[in-house]
Amino acid sequence: STPTTRPWFSAYLHWFYEHPYEIDQRGFNAFLRFSTIQVSFFPASLSTPRLVVLDDSADFASVRGGFRPPWTNVTSFHWCTAPHETKIA
């Protein structure tokens, strides 16, 4: 972790603990400011860690399938199969 990600993730975990009715992935989306998704009681001041887009054909895998490179290349695995539109509905 980095000096930016530690307080960010701590704030996220605190927020999610205090608001268990929220969906964890919506929280991540909002906290990373990755989209226009909004959540309740968003912290007033929060620094955002540096983001990097992962290549789903090389270093990101999910249960959707289609990952062929060696598993040693995987930096992240996503277990959810619901389309984005379903998650934000």
Side-chain angles (χ1 to χ4, degrees):
S1 83
T2 67
T4 304
T5 57
R6 280 189 296 275
W8 179 89
F9 196 60
S10 179
Y12 169 77
L13 290 175
H14 177 76
W15 169 84
F16 192 50
Y17 177 80
E18 294 292 327
H19 307 94
Y21 51 85
E22 288 282 9
I23 299 170
D24 59 339
Q25 291 180 351
R26 287 176 55 88
F28 262 106
N29 230 329
F31 271 59
L32 290 172
R33 296 178 175 93
F34 190 69
S35 69
T36 58
I37 288 177
Q38 295 182 0
V39 292
S40 61
F41 304 100
F42 189 80
S45 63
L46 181 69
S47 60
T48 304
R50 183 178 63 90
L51 301 175
V52 203
V53 176
L54 298 175
D55 180 357
D56 65 355
S57 67
D59 51 12
F60 174 81
S62 73
V63 293
R64 287 181 293 141
F67 186 78
R68 300 267 186 260
W71 283 101
T72 54
N73 292 357
V74 173
T75 58
S76 182
F77 190 91
H78 187 51
W79 296 95
C80 183
T81 59
H84 182 70
E85 294 76 21
T86 303
K87 294 177 190 177
I88 62 172

